[in-house]
Amino acid sequence: MNTPSQQPVTVIVSRRVKPEAVTAFESLSDEMSRRASEFDGYMGATLFRPVSPEDPEYRMIFKFADEASLAVWENSAERAEMLEKLEALLISPTEREKVSGLVTWFSLPSQNPVKPPPRYKMTIVSWLALYPAATLIFWLFGPWLAALPLLLRTLLVTAALMILMSYVLMPFMTKRFAFWLFGRQHS
């Protein structure tokens, strides 16, 4: 099993762009993504344009395979050069947030223009992942688990389920059910 530092890392960058600098900003953002893609561990990036004219904030979401890969990119001369050019086009300084774990099961933070799915859909997809996983654990390990005290048994089962849900099942289920979870915003 991977340690937390070996897990994929998602970074959300928010930038408010001067109206007269939009074309230059988008061009530089594309170039920055291209340069980042040449680094080991780069897993992709998405640029979200402003939601409305009143909110000139661009959001870029990018992902690296692990903390070490991200650190190499963040400390690179290529990134420093691009940041210097980008910052001159902004109304206010760049905001950056790194996320991982449960928050990335379905959505990114609420500032993200991609709306999280309705709660009932998240509940159904979570249950569709949880029920078979719990059933499998009890089927495979039931006799051994039954011999353990209740608190220890519950501790072991919930720990195994949370690891499976966070790192295997929910990424898989979210991808498989994206058409239903996110509807039109997914396409």
Side-chain angles (χ1 to χ4, degrees), residues 106 115-128 170 173-187:
F106 292 107
K115 294 179 186 172
R119 199 171 288 222
Y120 79 93
K121 288 184 177 183
M122 292 188 290
T123 301
I124 290 169
V125 172
S126 297
W127 179 81
L128 287 172
M170 289 314 298
M173 296 296 279
T174 302
K175 189 179 286 186
R176 292 293 174 254
F177 286 90
F179 70 93
W180 182 64
L181 286 167
F182 298 102
R184 291 181 192 213
Q185 64 182 339
H186 174 68
S187 41

Side-chain angles (χ1 to χ4, degrees), residues 126-141 157 160-162 164-165 169:
S126 297
W127 179 81
L128 287 172
L130 183 61
Y131 178 75
T135 302
L136 183 64
I137 287 172
F138 285 114
W139 182 71
L140 290 173
F141 305 108
V157 170
L161 286 171
M162 290 308 296
L164 279 171
M165 292 290 286
L169 298 174

Side-chain angles (χ1 to χ4, degrees), residues 2-187:
N2 292 337
T3 63
S5 64
Q6 296 173 323
Q7 295 301 317
V9 181
T10 301
V11 179
I12 304 160
V13 177
S14 300
R15 294 185 172 110
R16 295 180 155 296
V17 180
K18 296 174 184 173
E20 67 276 8
V22 166
T23 304
F25 172 80
E26 288 187 6
S27 176
L28 284 170
S29 291
D30 288 345
E31 175 65 16
M32 190 169 196
S33 293
R34 187 194 64 72
R35 288 187 186 191
S37 72
E38 296 171 357
F39 280 73
D40 288 339
Y42 176 81
M43 297 175 71
T46 304
L47 177 68
F48 292 94
R49 288 177 173 75
V51 178
S52 69
E54 297 80 40
D55 178 17
E57 189 166 85
Y58 281 76
R59 292 174 185 91
M60 175 168 274
I61 300 167
F62 61 94
K63 196 168 194 172
F64 275 82
D66 52 44
E67 291 277 354
S69 299
L70 175 63
V72 170
W73 163 245
E74 288 186 331
N75 295 315
S76 70
E78 291 92 335
R79 179 176 177 268
E81 175 192 341
M82 296 305 298
L83 283 178
E84 187 177 332
K85 293 176 183 177
L86 281 171
E87 291 295 324
L89 307 176
L90 305 181
I91 295 169
S92 57
T94 295
E95 293 179 23
R96 180 185 173 281
E97 181 178 5
K98 190 168 34 170
V99 295
S100 60
L102 296 179
V103 74
T104 60
W105 270 14
F106 292 107
S107 63
L108 294 166
S110 59
Q111 288 184 333
N112 187 337
V114 176
K115 294 179 186 172
R119 199 171 288 222
Y120 79 93
K121 288 184 177 183
M122 292 188 290
T123 301
I124 290 169
V125 172
S126 297
W127 179 81
L128 287 172
L130 183 61
Y131 178 75
T135 302
L136 183 64
I137 287 172
F138 285 114
W139 182 71
L140 290 173
F141 305 108
W144 295 286
L145 290 169
L148 298 175
L150 175 64
L151 293 177
L152 180 58
R153 180 174 55 227
T154 304
L155 174 78
L156 293 173
V157 170
T158 56
L161 286 171
M162 290 308 296
I163 291 166
L164 279 171
M165 292 290 286
S166 293
Y167 299 109
V168 178
L169 298 174
M170 289 314 298
F172 174 81
M173 296 296 279
T174 302
K175 189 179 286 186
R176 292 293 174 254
F177 286 90
F179 70 93
W180 182 64
L181 286 167
F182 298 102
R184 291 181 192 213
Q185 64 182 339
H186 174 68
S187 41

